[in-house]
Amino acid sequence: MLVLLPPSEGKAAGGSGAPLDAGTLSLPGLAVARAAVLEELVALCSADEDKAREVLGLSEGLRGEVAKNAGLRSAPARPAGEVYTGVLYDALGLGDLPAGARALAERSLLVFSGLWGAVRVTDAIPSYRCSMGVKLPGLGALGAHWRTPMAEVLPEAAGDGLVLDLRSAAYAAAWKPKGETAGRTATVRVLHAQVVDGVEKRSVVSHFNKATKGRLVRDLLVAGAVPADPAELVAALRDLGYAVEAQAPAKPGKPWSLDVIVTRIH
């Protein structure tokens, strides 16, 4: 099982680890593409703070993120599972997973990133600010930059098991499973169901979408569930108490679509 996660905009800073050693990161086939983004991002943020803030889409209050990016090569690095914070990662709770669930998380979770492409939660990285929606002056749109190397590397990482895709649209654009891998892929949408005047209405949630996805992954990990395909995933989630509606693809080479229905948002 391979679980594809989005990163968080906010990231934990500080730490006392050694600086980044890019050669130790997982998925070494992404190394050249990573080096290109890192080089341009550091150069941009070291040269012109205002221009960097404009390119990265940062408000005045986030000006300090530019200096953080400028110092990426010497900043302390720590496991990505500790760097990424926010609603999904709070609900996932990597830090207090039981040992077996933690080992499964280290094998299964892959976090997408505008800077690194994708990393395992054990990969040591510094805190940074660079979303997949950024368009760097030299490299262009990062989603497009990552598309070719991802297409070469990710099918092997996916292996022959389930791909559970929980990414947001910007990060999903960097790699779209194709062919037989797509047939083993399930995308998930979280819907809030309410009864209004006797009629059930459903709406897409945002903040609570992230929290539900984090809890969903945690529950699978703690249960030791390793579904081999989307049909087994649906069964596993229902066994865990989730209300799931699944739509199999109309033709081969397309992913399954899963709706997780919640009646309470928290």
Side-chain angles (χ1 to χ4, degrees):
M1 177 175 69
L2 186 67
V3 182
L4 311 181
L5 298 175
S8 56
E9 286 298 323
K11 299 171 184 69
S16 56
L20 171 73
D21 180 354
T24 66
L25 297 180
S26 302
L27 308 178
L30 301 179
V32 173
R34 285 172 178 151
V37 180
L38 179 62
E39 180 177 358
E40 182 168 354
L41 183 62
V42 170
L44 171 70
C45 293
S46 300
D48 187 331
E49 188 175 272
D50 289 331
K51 180 180 179 181
R53 198 158 58 82
E54 178 183 355
V55 169
L56 297 175
L58 301 177
S59 66
E60 175 64 32
L62 293 173
R63 183 176 288 270
E65 299 292 287
V66 176
K68 180 196 292 185
N69 283 346
L72 280 172
R73 296 187 186 280
S74 58
R78 55 176 166 166
E82 298 176 13
V83 172
Y84 294 115
T85 60
V87 177
L88 187 153
Y89 291 91
D90 287 346
L92 174 55
L94 285 170
D96 63 0
L97 283 173
R102 176 71 192 200
L104 181 55
E106 292 174 358
R107 297 194 303 270
S108 304
L109 305 187
L110 200 63
V111 184
F112 274 61
S113 162
L115 173 53
W116 313 114
V119 292
R120 302 280 186 186
V121 294
T122 51
D123 286 331
I125 58 173
S127 181
Y128 67 96
R129 190 73 174 230
C130 183
S131 71
M132 190 66 79
V134 164
K135 185 176 182 179
L136 292 174
L139 291 177
L142 289 179
H145 170 76
W146 286 111
R147 210 161 289 144
T148 297
M150 288 284 193
E152 296 172 354
V153 171
L154 266 293
E156 181 179 354
D160 58 2
L162 169 74
V163 177
L164 175 53
D165 190 352
L166 303 178
R167 298 171 296 167
S168 54
Y171 291 91
W175 180 59
K176 295 184 178 181
K178 297 184 183 300
E180 194 266 339
T181 303
R184 291 183 279 103
T185 298
T187 62
V188 173
R189 181 174 63 165
V190 179
L191 298 178
H192 180 215
Q194 293 177 289
V195 177
V196 180
D197 296 329
V199 178
E200 183 183 82
K201 295 185 177 181
R202 295 178 177 181
S203 58
V204 178
V205 292
S206 177
H207 175 94
F208 303 103
N209 163 63
K210 296 175 183 177
T212 300
K213 287 179 177 178
R215 285 192 291 269
L216 180 153
V217 173
R218 182 183 178 89
D219 288 346
L220 287 170
L221 295 172
V222 171
V226 188
D229 55 41
E232 288 190 13
L233 172 65
V234 172
L237 291 175
R238 288 175 176 165
D239 287 345
L240 290 168
Y242 288 91
V244 182
E245 295 178 359
Q247 182 175 346
K251 57 183 180 179
K254 299 292 182 182
W256 284 53
S257 298
L258 273 58
D259 284 342
V260 175
I261 314 301
V262 297
T263 55
R264 293 185 303 119
I265 51 179
H266 59 92

